[in-house]
């Protein structure tokens, strides 16, 4: 007799993402004392423009010990950070990564990869954070160039004293650009 298993129904992620999914040093993709380390901070907003205080933001990147000349970054270690928004914002301590090769001879601009988990989402959403001081690299980045020009600025962080601010808008007129991965 063959047993038929039924799939379980979908349900949204959250709202208790901070329980068991964060850890004390999870926000530290770069350890305290790392040279050139910065904070990436921001808020996550819903479609009505209200802050979401039960989201989880993950970042990953080529880690601070990697070098841009690594063969397509395959052997690079990844810097991974995870922060919830229960205090009103997420915060990741990291370094600005180097440029990494894209397909062909192109190079990607320095960027962080970002996943957002929040109530109301069936699956995570994925975006990138680019840095404003790399204008020429950003202009040549094949991923950034695949986005309509009017929306590209939504992937640029804003420089502040101790790092950068990058707010994430899940819906609405100024919705962050998300990638279908």
């Amino acid at each position: 007799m063959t047993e038929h298993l039924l799939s379980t129904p979908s349900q949204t992620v959250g709202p208790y993402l901070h329980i068991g999914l964060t850890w004390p040093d999870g926000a530290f993709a770069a350890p305290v004392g790392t040279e050139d380390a910065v904070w990436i901070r921001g808020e996550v907003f819903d479609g009505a423009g209200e802050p979401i205080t039960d989201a989880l933001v993950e970042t990953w990147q080529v880690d601070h010990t990697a070098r841009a000349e690594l063969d397509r970054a395959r052997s690079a270690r990844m810097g991974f950070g995870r922060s919830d928004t229960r205090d009103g914002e997420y915060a990741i301590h990291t370094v600005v990564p180097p440029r990494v090769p894209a397909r062909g001879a192109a190079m990607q601009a320095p960027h962080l990869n970002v996943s957002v988990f929040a109530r109301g989402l069936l699956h995570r959403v994925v975006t990138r954070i680019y840095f404003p001081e790399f204008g020429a690299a950003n202009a040549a980045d094949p991923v950034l160039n695949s986005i309509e020009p009017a929306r590209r600025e939504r992937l640029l962080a804003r420089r502040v004293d101790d790092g950068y601010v990058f707010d994430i808008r899940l819906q609405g007129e100024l919705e962050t650009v998300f990638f279908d991965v």
Side-chain angles (χ1 to χ4, degrees), residues 25-64:
D25 63 347
F28 292 90
V32 173
T34 300
E35 188 176 345
D36 298 324
V38 295
W39 282 99
I40 307 287
R41 292 187 176 92
E43 292 181 86
V44 178
F45 295 95
D46 65 16
E50 295 296 319
I52 298 174
T53 58
D54 56 359
L56 185 74
V57 176
E58 292 180 343
T59 64
W60 67 102
Q61 71 195 69
V62 174
D63 135 323
H64 67 282

Side-chain angles (χ1 to χ4, degrees), residues 14-152:
Y16 305 107
L17 296 167
H18 61 277
I19 299 174
L21 293 179
T22 58
W23 56 95
D25 63 347
F28 292 90
V32 173
T34 300
E35 188 176 345
D36 298 324
V38 295
W39 282 99
I40 307 287
R41 292 187 176 92
E43 292 181 86
V44 178
F45 295 95
D46 65 16
E50 295 296 319
I52 298 174
T53 58
D54 56 359
L56 185 74
V57 176
E58 292 180 343
T59 64
W60 67 102
Q61 71 195 69
V62 174
D63 135 323
H64 67 282
T65 62
R67 301 288 178 252
E69 64 270 17
L70 289 170
D71 177 28
R72 301 189 63 74
R74 287 188 189 120
S75 61
R77 297 184 319 170
M78 298 300 284
F80 178 79
R82 180 182 281 173
S83 175
D84 62 58
T85 61
R86 69 182 129 171
D87 293 327
E89 71 176 8
Y90 70 91
I92 304 287
H93 187 258
T94 190
V95 296
V96 175
R99 294 183 76 184
V100 293
R103 292 191 173 134
M107 293 290 286
Q108 296 182 59
H111 66 276
L112 299 179
N113 297 298
V114 180
S115 285
V116 180
F117 302 85
R119 61 180 149 80
L121 298 176
L122 291 176
H123 304 283
R124 70 183 174 137
V125 292
V126 177
T127 191
R128 285 183 167 195
I129 300 173
Y130 287 89
F131 302 93
E133 65 269 24
F134 297 102
N138 290 343
D141 185 276
V143 174
L144 200 52
N145 281 313
S146 71
I147 299 162
E148 60 188 80
R151 297 185 71 210
R152 289 180 194 157

